[in-house]
Amino acid sequence: MNQDTARPSAYPGDVEAIVRGRHGNPFATLGMQGGDGEPLAVNVFAPQAGQVEVVDSATGEKVAELERIHPEGFFSGFVTDRNERFAYRLAMSAGEFAWEAEDPYRFPPILGEMDEYLLGEGRHFRLYERLGAHPTVLEGIDGVAFAVWAPNASRVSVVGEFNAWDGRRHPMRKRIGVGIWELFIPGLEKGTVYKYEIIGAHGERLPLKADPLSFYQEHPPATASVVHGLPEHDWQDSEWMRNRARRQDLSAPMSIYEMHLGSWRTGGDGEALDYDAIADQLADYLTDMGFTHVELMPVTEHPFGGSWGYQPVGLFAPTSRFGTPEGFARFVDRLHAAGIGVLMDWVPAHFPSDAHGLVRFDGTALYEHEDPRLGFHRDWNTLIYNFGRNEVANFLEASALFWLDRYHIDGLRVDAVASMLYLDYSREAGEWIPNKFGGNENLEAIAFLKETNTRAYELNPGSQTIAEESTAFPKVSRPIYDGGLGFGYKWNMGWMHDTLHYMQLDPIYRRHHQGEMTFGLHYAYTENFVLPLSHDEVVYGKGSLLGKMPGDRWQKFANLRAYLAFMWTHPGKKLLFMGGEFGQEREWNHDQSLDWHLLENPMHKGVQSLVRDLNHTYRNHPALHQLDADPEGFEWIDASDAEGSVFIYLRKGRDGVPPVVIACNMTPAVRSDYRVGVPQGGSWGEILNSDSEVYGGSNVGNGGHINAEDVSWHGRPASLRLTLPPLAAILLTPNDPPA
């Protein structure tokens, strides 16, 4: 429903409101008024013009000369001898300059009744096709259609260089039912820089706002939106999209390389690479290294680079730091061509308080809660979305679907889920408000997450959602029909904390902490887990993975290699932050490239070679991934040798899949003649040894193959007498099929 009412001429009060930029219903005054038997009048606000005439678009005839009735530039006049509306242009002049322009106020509404209905219901899953700024053709005229949600504003205008940032010149039409403001501005085109000027309900002029649904924004620190429309790309990944479901389901090998686009590599001048350059180098690198997926730290536009993208203001815009939206689309397409899945971090938990962003967008707490006990994150100095408001939940859900739909993203890793689930997250007593049942669960956020997961899987088959969730909230990665939240995977933060703590201990003390390496198996199958060694572990003074390892330099590298081998053979999908694959020495700095020169050192090169071989071994041996989410896929052979800090376990696949035995020695002492029970006799091959000299190790091992003895051990029918290398893991598999 819109507020337009026909009026034959401009009333003084309306003229003054337009000139002062305070008119909330400009279509009732501006443009052509009257018709249907009433006299026609045309009202124009054009402060840049000295004279304005009305031209019939069909005939080119000048049919009226408008009178300046206000010194600020309001023109008005009647069209004689006509009483039915018609298409027209405006012929304007100022001194010696003359030009013609279309009148934005002669065009019909942009949104349809179905849009209004779906927006009000919070179920407009393709919100991005209607809101934002879209280059379009309306009644045969090229221009841009703008639409923005600001229900409590008294006036909203589009401003930019095209109107000298004058909010009086392009006020928008308000759709009363849902609070959407819309305007088609003829003559604007892709690349136009713009913002919204908003007058609050009480007449207050707000800071200029970027478009919440902009598809492209200025390069930070500039903050304006840029007219772009939906990304245009000729996708070449149809085969990938058809087959991606099996590449990231529970039985697939998933080895994820987490990265920050701006600091992975830089150009020769130290400047950031663009999306195309990164894609070419990254596709080749990940293919060589054997990673199956890349996970991008947030690419959604964000004003502060030091937030690493986790405080976004543009949930529909890939950051312009690395190029255009089409550049990002080519990035994804290039990786798909190389057989690499693309995951991205997505942040619906909170947003920053930058004045040009969502904060008090229309002068009220629109996207956030008014009460800081519900709406403010002290940890991050950010604002919490009001998940219980239909339009806000719809906005966020549409953002998730947008990346899956328009950029063919294969999965979303949802950030800070724990902070969404609990009303008392990081709050003391008295600093939070219980839910309607008196509990601490955020029921509205839970409903939002369930709905988003439902729509993601329904509308984008083969995609995945992954929760970064650090509490014991039940069934995060279980189906909604089973009482779960509906995520496909959950990060196993407990496994990461326990095992990292163990590995940081001097080996002499590890005997007292054997359970830190084994405890994760007690709950390994309660969720579909990803094992994360993420960016969070190499920032804020935590040092690098290599730097966490104890001992002299050789032992640090040996510990890291052993830990990575333990991780790659443990149930759960794998995630490693960039730099960890070659033993980055310093803590990660988002302003610097990784230290690729370290690969000139054989110890660092050795770690990289190990990760490459772990990835290929993991992918080529189904026992290491096929039953990741099934307890039938893992058995402890012996976890009781705490004194020796030894862990022996078995990974299994489906029937007929050769098992893999893993033996880890987490001390610097060589263990000779160490008997290990195995499920079958015959010849066994040592398929990987993290102590190999190829990886920088001491080359202690078992010569590549071992014959099992008919000696029952560890409850198994046969056994191997092994040499366990120092601070190392070895992987063994039978050379012969089971009897």
Side-chain angles (χ1 to χ4, degrees):
M1 170 178 170
N2 72 67
Q3 210 177 27
D4 304 353
T5 56
R7 186 174 296 169
S9 61
Y11 293 131
D14 288 324
V15 172
E16 192 63 29
I18 292 289
V19 169
R20 290 174 54 238
R22 297 287 170 170
H23 206 302
N25 186 20
F27 278 82
T29 297
L30 295 174
M32 183 171 285
Q33 304 296 323
D36 292 329
E38 296 292 330
L40 291 178
V42 176
N43 301 317
V44 176
F45 179 61
Q48 77 279 26
Q51 183 178 358
V52 178
E53 296 176 305
V54 179
V55 178
D56 186 318
S57 296
T59 66
E61 176 189 2
K62 291 184 179 180
V63 296
E65 182 174 342
L66 306 185
E67 177 186 358
R68 180 191 286 265
I69 64 173
H70 193 289
E72 290 290 325
F74 194 102
F75 295 82
S76 181
F78 287 97
V79 180
T80 60
D81 301 326
R82 298 200 187 192
N83 54 22
E84 297 297 333
R85 296 193 183 197
F86 58 94
Y88 66 93
R89 300 192 304 275
L90 299 173
M92 294 184 277
S93 62
E96 60 183 21
F97 298 101
W99 66 96
E100 286 194 359
E102 297 287 344
D103 185 355
Y105 299 95
R106 81 163 181 84
F107 290 91
I110 300 166
L111 302 179
E113 291 183 1
M114 183 56 71
D115 292 312
E116 288 189 291
Y117 173 76
L118 292 174
L119 287 166
E121 291 287 307
R123 297 178 61 79
H124 205 311
F125 303 132
R126 295 184 178 272
L127 186 70
Y128 46 86
E129 293 181 352
R130 307 302 289 158
L131 270 57
H134 294 269
T136 190
V137 177
L138 190 58
E139 296 190 348
I141 303 300
D142 290 332
V144 176
F146 296 89
V148 62
W149 181 57
N152 302 301
S154 61
R155 191 265 286 166
V156 179
S157 295
V158 186
V159 295
E161 292 183 3
F162 57 90
N163 62 12
W165 299 92
D166 185 347
R168 302 174 302 165
R169 290 171 58 179
H170 288 97
M172 306 174 79
R173 170 194 286 117
K174 186 176 184 179
R175 307 295 290 264
I176 297 297
V178 290
I180 299 290
W181 298 76
E182 61 171 22
L183 184 66
F184 174 73
I185 304 182
L188 294 190
E189 56 190 17
K190 194 172 181 178
T192 300
V193 173
Y194 73 101
K195 281 187 174 181
Y196 293 116
E197 182 181 274
I198 299 175
I199 305 296
H202 303 294
E204 70 278 20
R205 189 182 304 273
L206 304 176
L208 296 182
K209 295 290 189 178
D211 191 339
L213 273 92
S214 64
F215 306 113
Y216 192 35
Q217 295 191 9
E218 287 186 300
H219 192 297
T223 59
S225 302
V226 180
V227 172
H228 192 85
L230 296 170
E232 297 177 352
H233 178 67
D234 182 15
W235 290 94
Q236 303 295 312
D237 63 350
S238 57
E239 182 179 356
W240 168 271
M241 297 295 282
R242 280 195 304 271
N243 297 315
R244 70 174 177 178
R246 65 177 177 78
R247 294 173 180 260
Q248 46 196 33
D249 69 15
L250 296 178
S251 65
M254 286 184 67
S255 179
I256 305 164
Y257 187 74
E258 186 193 25
M259 69 175 296
H260 177 259
L261 284 173
S263 58
W264 180 62
R265 285 180 181 168
T266 56
D269 54 1
E271 294 297 311
L273 302 174
D274 65 18
Y275 289 121
D276 291 294
I278 298 171
D280 287 339
Q281 296 184 35
L282 184 65
D284 291 343
Y285 183 69
L286 297 183
T287 300
D288 173 63
M289 290 297 296
F291 285 97
T292 65
H293 290 71
V294 63
E295 181 178 312
L296 306 175
M297 293 168 70
V299 298
T300 44
E301 193 60 86
H302 49 283
F304 177 46
S307 76
W308 315 327
Y310 292 102
Q311 295 190 14
V313 297
L315 287 183
F316 295 80
T319 179
S320 59
R321 289 169 173 85
F322 313 113
T324 66
E326 284 71 26
F328 183 64
R330 291 192 297 272
F331 171 93
V332 175
D333 213 357
R334 173 72 177 86
L335 287 166
H336 283 172
I340 306 296
V342 181
L343 313 175
M344 64 172 271
D345 288 2
W346 180 63
V347 188
H350 59 122
F351 62 92
S353 57
D354 296 74
H356 70 283
L358 298 179
V359 58
R360 302 194 74 83
F361 188 79
D362 64 357
T364 68
L366 185 63
Y367 287 88
E368 68 270 37
H369 293 271
E370 187 72 54
D371 192 324
R373 293 174 297 173
L374 292 169
F376 185 71
H377 262 312
R378 294 182 308 174
D379 291 0
W380 304 309
N381 194 34
T382 55
L383 300 166
I384 301 169
Y385 288 103
N386 183 350
F387 301 108
R389 186 163 192 167
N390 281 350
E391 299 91 341
V392 174
N394 193 170
F395 167 78
L396 292 170
E397 188 175 341
S399 169
L401 298 176
F402 170 77
W403 296 98
L404 299 173
D405 172 27
R406 294 293 172 164
Y407 286 106
H408 290 200
I409 294 295
D410 300 299
L412 300 173
R413 197 279 286 183
V414 183
D415 183 63
V417 171
S419 75
M420 301 172 68
L421 296 177
Y422 296 103
L423 295 165
D424 61 347
Y425 180 86
S426 195
R427 297 178 190 272
E428 301 297 330
E431 296 177 347
W432 58 283
I433 301 174
N435 63 35
K436 62 184 179 181
F437 301 113
N440 67 342
E441 298 89 356
N442 189 332
L443 303 178
E444 295 165 341
I446 290 169
F448 160 74
L449 289 170
K450 289 181 176 180
E451 175 68 12
T452 301
N453 284 327
T454 297
R455 298 305 165 200
Y457 289 112
E458 174 188 301
L459 300 176
N460 297 276
S463 64
Q464 284 288 355
T465 60
I466 304 167
E468 186 221 8
E469 205 285 313
S470 55
T471 74
F473 193 94
K475 298 187 175 183
V476 172
S477 57
R478 291 293 180 259
I480 293 168
Y481 63 75
D482 189 32
L485 290 182
F487 285 94
Y489 292 99
K490 171 183 170 174
W491 275 19
N492 194 337
M493 310 294 280
W495 175 90
M496 178 271 296
H497 285 298
D498 289 347
T499 59
L500 261 183
H501 179 262
Y502 177 92
M503 293 304 302
Q504 288 176 274
L505 295 169
D506 187 296
I508 198 171
Y509 301 115
R510 288 176 177 169
R511 68 187 73 180
H512 307 299
H513 297 267
Q514 188 89 344
E516 292 182 0
M517 296 290 270
T518 62
F519 182 67
L521 270 301
H522 290 286
Y523 60 85
Y525 304 104
T526 60
E527 301 278 5
N528 304 326
F529 280 124
V530 174
L531 309 181
L533 291 179
S534 75
H535 67 276
D536 281 327
E537 310 318 312
V538 294
V539 292
Y540 298 138
K542 297 177 186 176
S544 65
L545 284 180
L546 181 64
K548 297 178 195 297
M549 300 296 116
D552 59 26
R553 188 164 177 79
W554 187 91
Q555 289 183 353
K556 282 181 177 292
F557 278 93
N559 272 302
L560 179 59
R561 294 193 304 267
Y563 184 39
L564 293 172
F566 176 77
M567 172 183 174
W568 252 257
T569 54
H570 190 285
K573 309 310 180 187
K574 326 301 175 190
L575 180 140
L576 182 64
F577 183 57
M578 64 181 198
E581 80 276 16
F582 61 79
Q584 173 90 3
E585 301 245 10
R586 61 172 172 83
E587 185 173 281
W588 174 58
N589 181 340
H590 70 275
D591 284 328
Q592 290 182 245
S593 169
L594 295 180
D595 295 330
W596 294 100
H597 65 275
L598 293 175
L599 288 171
E600 298 171 9
N601 181 297
M603 297 298 283
H604 291 281
K605 190 74 172 176
V607 174
Q608 186 190 50
S609 296
L610 173 69
V611 171
R612 180 188 295 110
D613 288 352
L614 282 171
N615 274 330
H616 290 293
T617 301
Y618 169 63
R619 295 174 70 168
N620 293 335
H621 290 267
L624 293 175
H625 61 257
Q626 203 172 66
L627 298 179
D628 256 344
D630 186 335
E632 291 298 315
F634 180 92
E635 289 181 20
W636 283 114
I637 294 175
D638 185 14
S640 65
D641 187 3
E643 194 64 28
S645 299
V646 172
F647 305 88
I648 313 291
Y649 49 98
L650 180 70
R651 294 300 309 276
K652 299 181 294 179
R654 300 190 182 104
D655 290 346
V657 169
V660 177
V661 169
I662 299 96
C664 304
N665 173 18
M666 295 303 188
T667 72
V670 176
R671 310 284 180 193
S672 300
D673 291 325
Y674 198 98
R675 190 172 290 277
V676 173
V678 291
Q680 68 181 73
S683 173
W684 285 67
E686 189 177 70
I687 58 175
L688 189 143
N689 178 348
S690 72
D691 189 53
S692 166
E693 63 182 355
V694 174
Y695 309 135
S698 60
N699 219 34
V700 173
N702 297 277
H705 72 274
I706 314 97
N707 290 318
E709 300 177 2
D710 293 330
V711 176
S712 177
W713 206 259
H714 294 140
R716 316 282 165 170
S719 56
L720 302 172
R721 285 200 306 166
L722 299 174
T723 298
L724 303 187
L727 296 173
I730 58 174
L731 283 63
L732 306 112
T733 193
N735 291 323
D736 305 316

